[in-house]
Amino acid sequence: MDPLINKRVKQVLKGDQNAYADIVTLYQNNLYQVCYRMLGNKEEAEDAAQEAFIKAYINLHTYDQKRKFSTWLYRIGTNLCIDRIRKKKPDYYLDAEVPGTEGLDMYSQLSTGERLPDEEIERMELQERIQYEIGQLPDKYRSVIILKYIEELPLQEISDILEIPLGTVKTRVHRGREALRKQLGDL
Amino acid sequence: MMKCPEHVVEYMHEYLDGDISQEHEVVLKEHLKQCDDCKKHMSELTNVIAFIKSAAVMALPANFAQNVMVRLPHKQKVLRGVQRFLRRHPVLIAAAVFVLLMSGSLLTVSNPSQQFAVTKDPQLIVEGETVTVPENTVIKKDLVVENGNLVIEGKVDGNVTVVNGKYMASTANVTGQVEQVDETFDWLWYKMKSGFKKLFSNGE
């Protein structure tokens, strides 16, 4: 779809590894935002976003050049993040220290629906609070809300990324908004 | 207190997604003018959106792209080209392998079948392409004649095989089995069988 990207993709497929740098540069910011909002932790987001680019590189021959590259890349990224969320769920403890991380990262360790005490929530700064509330969403609502309101993607594109029907995307956006409404109360 | 229209919350979400029908929009707007609960619900939803949208753009970690490039797998380029070819043309590859194997086996089989050959034994008389086991002699081994004829006047204590030739004797003079092979595929079969026999006798 994008002629520049397709040119770079062809160069990489022919063995020119350096051509991939342009692809990374073009999408790194967007993909990192999605990974950060999904995972709520800078180090983990960096690792997941890098992994997504590497996975895309390895599987570049499977990318259909008639489709949007960003859709394909976002799909790899969101799938990796969802895998990570599911893997880390069972082995966290609220009172355990997370070495080398700040308070913000602690909140992302909470499982969904398990809220901190009100006083603590009220003490948060706005940015901290936003990430905390996103992290409280079940992962299937979290991904659509992030793609819709952080990345501002059209619903149809979200449906293509997550490979779920458009109707399902709408339902998830609706439920995600309702869940956030209940979490926030009368903010 | 008035009753809220059915699906009014759904209409709110349709409105927020920007794909509400005119019909639904009229119902929704009329209702919001009169119902404080629904008006509150709607404003909470718009607040939720504004809240999430106020998320700051996170700064990309330093050297992100370089770190990706360093982590990319190396030296797969040539292999990848071959792999891609193999993956795209599986039938072609299978056909090529088949033809290669078939022509290979046919060549090795048809080559020796042109030449006259006989199991060596000093008691045998060879005249041109005719091998004779003379009268009153006993050949105590298996006898194979390729592309020639075999006349047995004496006795053979073993198996007899004649390939692409004639065998002339009464079987009573041969203690083992007598086998005549004439066509290429019979020959192939014979080769395979003797190959297996060798394999197993070596293993013993």
Side-chain angles (χ1 to χ4, degrees):
Chain A
M1 290 228 355
D2 183 338
L4 176 78
I5 284 302
N6 279 357
K7 195 180 163 196
R8 294 287 176 265
V9 168
K10 283 190 187 108
Q11 284 173 322
V12 175
L13 287 176
K14 277 183 195 152
D16 178 7
Q17 199 175 58
N18 290 332
Y20 197 62
D22 283 353
I23 298 178
V24 178
T25 309
L26 201 62
Y27 295 108
Q28 56 185 1
N29 261 303
N30 290 69
L31 196 65
Y32 178 71
Q33 301 305 315
V34 172
C35 292
Y36 176 75
R37 294 302 168 187
M38 289 290 287
L39 301 167
N41 172 303
K42 287 177 189 170
E43 284 79 32
E44 231 184 312
E46 181 178 4
D47 198 48
Q50 285 192 2
E51 199 185 331
F53 276 115
I54 291 160
K55 209 173 169 188
Y57 174 82
I58 292 167
N59 295 295
L60 201 61
H61 58 275
T62 67
Y63 160 61
D64 178 1
Q65 292 184 28
K66 288 188 261 338
R67 292 166 181 253
K68 253 181 131 170
F69 186 82
S70 59
T71 301
W72 186 68
L73 186 63
Y74 275 133
R75 182 183 306 146
I76 294 171
T78 48
N79 284 340
L80 281 174
C81 289
I82 289 169
D83 283 351
R84 280 166 185 254
I85 293 166
R86 288 183 185 160
K87 269 184 207 149
K88 86 176 172 186
K89 250 179 199 171
D91 56 333
Y92 76 90
Y93 296 96
L94 239 190
D95 51 356
E97 287 287 330
V98 183
T101 55
E102 290 155 45
L104 177 62
D105 298 329
M106 275 306 288
Y107 304 133
S108 67
Q109 306 282 316
L110 283 167
S111 75
T112 52
E114 195 175 322
R115 289 186 72 83
L116 290 167
D118 281 352
E119 320 84 79
E120 230 177 297
I121 293 172
E122 262 145 47
R123 251 184 280 137
M124 289 179 193
E125 288 171 28
L126 175 68
Q127 290 304 324
E128 204 179 342
R129 178 78 189 272
I130 292 170
Q131 189 51 43
Y132 170 73
E133 299 297 354
I134 291 174
Q136 289 281 295
L137 287 170
D139 48 351
K140 60 182 180 179
Y141 301 158
R142 199 186 308 176
S143 48
V144 290
I145 291 290
I146 289 165
L147 294 172
K148 170 97 177 121
Y149 291 114
I150 306 281
E151 288 301 299
E152 307 199 302
L153 295 174
L155 294 172
Q156 182 57 57
E157 233 174 290
I158 298 173
S159 145
D160 292 339
I161 291 167
L162 300 173
E163 293 181 298
I164 51 176
L166 184 60
T168 310
V169 175
K170 286 185 185 173
T171 311
R172 289 187 186 178
V173 171
H174 298 181
R175 290 189 184 156
R177 280 193 295 240
E178 288 296 338
L180 285 168
R181 187 180 73 92
K182 281 180 194 125
Q183 284 170 214
L184 292 168
D186 33 59
L187 180 85
Chain B
M1 183 173 162
M2 70 163 296
K3 193 170 164 274
C4 298
E6 230 185 318
H7 310 305
V8 71
V9 176
E10 258 174 62
Y11 295 174
M12 293 183 202
H13 286 287
E14 288 174 0
Y15 179 80
L16 293 170
D17 287 341
D19 58 2
I20 193 169
S21 66
Q22 260 188 330
E23 220 181 306
H24 289 178
E25 193 171 351
V26 171
V27 176
L28 177 65
K29 287 197 167 167
E30 279 307 307
H31 180 68
L32 289 184
K33 278 181 199 163
Q34 302 157 39
C35 177
D36 284 345
D37 283 352
C38 285
K39 203 175 164 184
K40 184 170 174 261
H41 191 136
M42 185 73 195
S43 80
E44 280 172 1
L45 285 174
T46 47
N47 284 344
V48 160
I49 294 169
F51 174 78
I52 295 296
K53 279 192 165 186
S54 58
V57 174
M58 299 301 291
L60 192 73
N63 304 323
F64 182 88
Q66 287 101 302
N67 291 338
V68 170
M69 295 307 288
V70 167
R71 280 178 68 183
L72 291 183
H74 287 290
K75 72 164 184 178
Q76 278 195 319
K77 285 165 203 164
V78 181
L79 197 69
R80 180 160 303 153
V82 176
Q83 276 179 337
R84 214 164 6 124
F85 183 80
L86 289 177
R87 213 175 275 136
R88 283 187 190 171
H89 308 285
V91 177
L92 196 70
I93 299 304
V97 168
F98 180 76
V99 167
L100 198 72
L101 291 178
M102 278 312 285
S103 62
S105 62
L106 281 178
L107 276 175
T108 51
V109 166
S110 59
N111 230 2
S113 69
Q114 309 297 318
Q115 277 181 312
F116 168 72
V118 64
T119 310
K120 277 197 179 129
D121 192 293
Q123 290 178 292
L124 288 174
I125 301 166
V126 181
E127 290 165 335
E129 295 189 346
T130 305
V131 179
T132 310
V133 178
E135 263 183 292
N136 304 322
T137 52
V138 180
I139 308 288
K140 284 191 177 173
K141 61 164 83 168
D142 291 346
L143 207 51
V144 179
V145 179
E146 289 178 27
N147 301 301
N149 303 320
L150 177 67
V151 181
I152 298 179
E153 287 164 355
K155 200 180 169 193
V156 177
D157 200 359
N159 298 326
V160 169
T161 309
V162 181
V163 181
N164 287 340
K166 275 180 195 153
Y167 161 74
M168 290 161 279
S170 69
T171 45
N173 292 330
V174 180
T175 55
Q177 287 184 321
V178 178
E179 211 172 346
Q180 251 182 305
V181 184
D182 281 318
E183 285 166 38
T184 314
F185 281 101
D186 283 344
W187 172 227
L188 190 75
W189 177 235
Y190 165 75
K191 274 281 188 189
M192 280 167 65
K193 274 205 298 191
S194 57
F196 274 117
K197 269 181 202 160
K198 263 184 213 160
L199 206 70
F200 286 121
S201 60
N202 283 350
E204 274 166 11

